């Protein structure tokens, strides 16, 4: 088994000559030996607690900053093989989903575990389409932001605010409430995103058009002006749908872990998803697509690439849109996006930054620094070029990631709520402070 992949149950068990799924360890401090059960390619960290130097010792802990080698849950939703560059949702390769499916069908697959029948899909799409409106007070709430507020900040606040409109969502074990929260969240996210965009421009908000498909309705809420009916270009709609399939879920990444971690307190799913939006906002996660465009703007010309890469190698900055915690090969999502770039440019005209990006990728993939560290383009390297061609400002790019990731967050949240092994997330620490010491009154300091 390679290291850079999701752990697949059973794959790594019983491999040793003894044929026993056991890890034998000797504690050289005491000379005692222990046997730790190996299950699904992992040992339980809490098993280490039996390893003690004395009766009152707390027991051994594992130290794993940033969870580099710790599985925090069992999950049947998404599989990644980082070495091969493979991604499956509920067992189906992402390439097949992008070719044959729609974003809403993939959302159903993530949440319910199976592809829907025609009737199930129709009902699902109907339920989502008829929950796209938000309460009028949400509109007033968004109006309260400054004209130049970052749309991710507005999205974060308005998703959190949704929990106050649907207080029954806190009944997290109630299947009906859970379904309603899932529908509402997927349905309203594009509306909140479009309101944030129009707010920045000082334009009136456009209400959802329920005659349109999910991506077409989003384009209408973003770009409709004086026309009676907005008619989305089907090629753009399809490109957006594929982009959203690609972003729908990605197992235990930073934002998903935030949703699970916050959700483990038993809070309602709107509040848990708001935590996911906050995590996604960061430049090392979903914020990278915005950072890529800003980086390309700074590099400006192909002949500036070597100088820019020299700075990256000196550690002055990062090549945004490159590298991944799990993928040590080409991110399959980046490969698919690259193919769709041309389809979008056919409608919008070619984005001249594409040549710069392609050249930057070539230079990096030819350079030992990136080759040795297995740094390849990730999903964010090319997605921004499409968003820019759609005339979106860079600040909206991460919002475009948050809209589809909502289905993944909700699927992961539901799996967590139903998992009898899960408890409130509460890591341990290695205390490095001093004490105990006495409080010093102010006049003696
Ligand atoms: N540019 C230059 N060097 C890099 C980069 C990069 N983009 N990414 C990693 N490295 C170097 C890093 O300096 C380190 O080198 P050394 O071993 O000499 O110290 C080595 O590669 C390993 O990096 P790391 O930081 O230990 O890797 P990580 O798994 O902690 O970080 C990452 C993963 C995605 C945060 C990182 O690759 C990165 O910052 N990339 C740029 C931001 C980006 O594109 N993020 C989007 C990720 S994909 C979409 C998503 O999931 O949000």
């Amino acid at each position: 088994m390679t290291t850079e992949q999701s752990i697949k149950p059973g794959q790594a068990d019983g491999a040793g000559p003894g044929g026993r799924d056991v890890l034998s360890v000797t504690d050289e401090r005491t000379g005692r030996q222990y046997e730790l059960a190996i299950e699904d390619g992992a040992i339980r960290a809490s098993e280490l607690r039996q390893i003690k130097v004395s009766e009152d010792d707390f027991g051994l802990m594992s130290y794993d900053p940033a969870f580099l080698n710790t599985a925090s849950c069992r999950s049947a939703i998404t599989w990644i093989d980082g070495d091969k560059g493979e991604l499956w949702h509920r067992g189906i390769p992402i390439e097949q989903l992008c070719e044959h499916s729609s974003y809403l069908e993939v959302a159903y697959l993530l949440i319910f575990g199976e592809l829907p029948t025609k009737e199930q899909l129709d009902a699902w799409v109907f339920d989502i389409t008829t929950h796209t409106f938000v309460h009028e007070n949400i509109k007033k709430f968004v109006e309260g932001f400054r004209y130049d507020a970052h749309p991710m900040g507005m999205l974060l606040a308005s998703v959190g605010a949704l929990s106050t409109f649907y207080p029954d969502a806190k009944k997290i074990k109630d299947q009906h409430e859970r379904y309603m929260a899932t529908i509402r969240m997927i349905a309203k996210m594009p509306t909140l995103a479009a309101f944030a965009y129009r707010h920045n421009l000082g334009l009136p908000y456009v209400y959802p058009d329920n005659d349109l498909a999910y991506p077409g309705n989003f384009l209408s809420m973003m770009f409709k002006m004086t026309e009676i009916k907005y008619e989305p270009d089907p090629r753009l709609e399809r490109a957006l749908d594929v982009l959203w399939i690609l972003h729908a879920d990605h197992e235990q990444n930073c934002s998903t872990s935030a949703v699970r971690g916050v959700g483990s307190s038993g809070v309602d799913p709107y509040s848990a998803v708001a935590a996911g939006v906050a995590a996604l906002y960061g430049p090392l996660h979903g914020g990278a697509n915005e950072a890529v465009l800003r980086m390309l703007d700074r590099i400006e010309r192909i002949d500036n690439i070597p100088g820019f890469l020299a700075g990256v190698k000196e550690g002055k900055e990062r090549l945004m849109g490159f590298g991944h915690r799990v993928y040590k090969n080409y991110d399959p999502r980046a490969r698919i996006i690259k193919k769709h770039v041309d389809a979008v440019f056919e409608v919008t005209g070619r984005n001249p930054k594409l040549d710069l990006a392609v050249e930057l990728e070539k230079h990096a993939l030819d350079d030992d620094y990136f080759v040795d560290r297995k740094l390849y383009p990730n999903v964010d390297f090319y997605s921004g070029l499409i968003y820019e061609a759609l005339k979106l400002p860079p600040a909206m790019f991460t919002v475009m990631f948050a809209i589809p990731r909502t289905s993944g967050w909700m699927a992961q949240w539901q799996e967590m709520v139903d998992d009898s092994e899960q408890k409130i997330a509460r890591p341990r620490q290695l205390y490095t402070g001093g004490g105990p010491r006495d409080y010093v009154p102010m006049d003696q300091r």
Side-chain angles (χ1 to χ4, degrees):
M1 179 168 128
T2 53
T3 48
E4 305 298 348
Q5 60 183 36
S6 314
I7 305 290
K8 213 188 232 171
Q11 198 173 44
D13 296 348
R20 290 200 305 139
D21 295 330
V22 161
L23 175 71
S24 302
V25 285
T26 306
D27 184 351
E28 297 290 349
R29 298 171 303 175
T30 58
R32 278 197 214 116
Q33 290 197 325
Y34 300 86
E35 289 202 333
L36 310 177
I38 298 176
E39 200 186 335
D40 298 338
I43 58 158
R44 283 184 183 262
S46 54
E47 286 269 295
L48 297 171
R49 289 279 293 281
Q50 60 182 297
I51 303 178
K52 298 180 175 198
V53 284
S54 62
E55 258 324 294
D56 57 356
D57 182 359
F58 179 79
L60 200 64
M61 285 194 288
S62 59
Y63 176 56
D64 190 13
F67 301 107
L68 287 173
N69 195 38
T70 296
S72 62
C73 62
R74 289 170 188 278
S75 182
I77 300 172
T78 291
W79 158 261
I80 301 174
D81 187 325
D83 288 332
K84 291 194 197 144
E86 286 178 355
L87 168 63
W88 310 339
H89 292 315
R90 301 288 190 182
I92 305 178
I94 191 69
E95 292 77 7
Q96 292 186 29
L97 293 172
C98 285
E99 197 176 333
H100 304 296
S101 191
S102 65
Y103 168 67
L104 286 187
E105 187 183 45
V106 172
Y108 185 101
L109 173 71
L110 289 170
I111 286 160
F112 297 103
E114 292 297 337
L115 288 170
T117 61
K118 165 118 184 38
E119 291 71 34
Q120 286 167 331
L121 183 61
D122 288 348
W124 173 246
V125 171
F126 176 83
D127 284 349
I128 290 175
T129 309
T130 49
H131 285 87
T132 46
F133 275 64
V134 293
H135 193 287
E136 282 293 288
N137 286 1
I138 286 275
K139 228 174 72 183
K140 293 191 192 136
F141 176 80
V142 176
E143 274 161 11
F145 283 102
R146 281 181 54 128
Y147 71 96
D148 59 353
H150 195 291
M152 273 302 270
M154 291 191 263
L155 189 69
L156 162 57
S158 46
V159 173
L162 283 182
S163 83
T164 67
F165 290 84
Y166 304 106
D168 284 343
K170 59 167 71 83
K171 296 178 198 156
I172 60 172
K173 296 279 179 189
D174 180 322
Q175 293 297 339
H176 174 70
E177 288 306 330
R178 247 198 246 179
Y179 181 75
M180 290 314 297
T182 305
I183 290 286
R184 287 188 174 121
M185 204 108 54
I186 295 173
K188 294 180 200 309
M189 202 60 111
T191 314
L192 297 176
F195 280 14
Y197 170 75
R198 308 272 302 196
H199 178 76
N200 281 156
L201 294 177
L203 288 171
Y205 306 141
V206 176
Y207 288 108
D209 179 344
N210 290 353
D211 291 341
L212 296 174
Y214 189 80
N217 170 50
F218 176 69
L219 292 171
S220 166
M221 290 189 292
M222 294 283 287
F223 301 122
K224 184 170 185 293
M225 295 303 288
T226 53
E227 62 271 47
I228 306 287
K229 180 126 189 125
Y230 180 87
E231 286 180 9
D233 187 306
R235 291 166 297 178
L236 291 186
E237 263 198 292
R238 180 62 193 151
L240 199 54
D241 214 28
V242 171
L243 270 177
W244 284 351
I245 293 173
L246 288 173
H247 285 88
D249 190 55
H250 215 227
E251 55 119 305
Q252 309 312 314
N253 53 81
C254 179
S255 57
T256 301
S257 305
V259 171
R260 279 180 173 263
V262 170
S264 75
S265 72
V267 76
D268 69 88
Y270 298 101
S271 302
V273 166
V277 176
L280 194 72
Y281 196 174
L284 298 185
H285 192 7
N289 53 16
E290 176 178 350
V292 169
L293 253 282
R294 299 201 190 280
M295 174 186 78
L296 292 175
D297 282 340
R298 272 187 299 121
I299 299 175
E300 210 185 329
R301 291 196 320 270
I302 287 176
D303 31 322
N304 290 336
I305 291 175
F308 168 78
L309 288 180
V312 170
K313 289 190 280 180
E314 283 163 27
K316 289 189 189 144
E317 61 184 306
R318 289 205 157 192
L319 172 52
M320 300 311 282
F322 256 68
H324 199 274
R325 172 63 59 78
V326 183
Y327 293 120
K328 301 301 165 194
N329 198 329
Y330 217 97
D331 180 338
R333 301 169 300 173
R335 214 187 288 282
I336 297 170
I337 289 186
K338 224 174 149 181
K339 276 199 243 154
H340 280 268
V341 163
D342 291 334
V344 171
F345 289 176
E346 217 177 89
V347 185
T348 62
R350 195 178 159 80
N351 185 338
K353 281 180 205 143
L354 176 64
D355 297 331
L356 188 58
V358 168
E359 214 41 52
L360 183 57
E361 177 190 331
K362 265 197 219 145
H363 275 69
L365 295 182
D366 254 1
D367 190 310
D368 286 348
Y369 175 94
F370 297 94
V371 174
D372 292 349
R373 289 169 180 75
K374 299 189 176 167
L375 301 172
Y376 291 88
N378 60 48
V379 70
D380 290 321
F381 195 68
Y382 286 104
S383 61
L385 293 171
I386 295 189
Y387 298 142
E388 195 177 65
L390 292 175
K391 304 266 180 301
L392 294 177
M396 274 300 286
F397 294 0
T398 314
V399 171
M400 300 297 287
F401 190 153
I403 293 170
R405 184 53 61 86
T406 302
S407 57
W409 288 330
M410 286 307 289
Q412 300 270 352
W413 173 80
Q414 296 201 38
E415 189 177 59
M416 186 266 310
V417 172
D418 286 339
D419 183 347
S420 58
E421 282 199 293
Q422 292 293 329
K423 289 170 181 277
I424 185 166
R426 203 314 183 175
R428 296 280 176 183
Q429 64 166 15
L430 303 181
Y431 177 64
T432 58
R437 57 191 179 132
D438 292 329
Y439 177 80
V440 182
M442 187 71 80
D443 59 0
Q444 290 169 33
R445 288 178 214 163

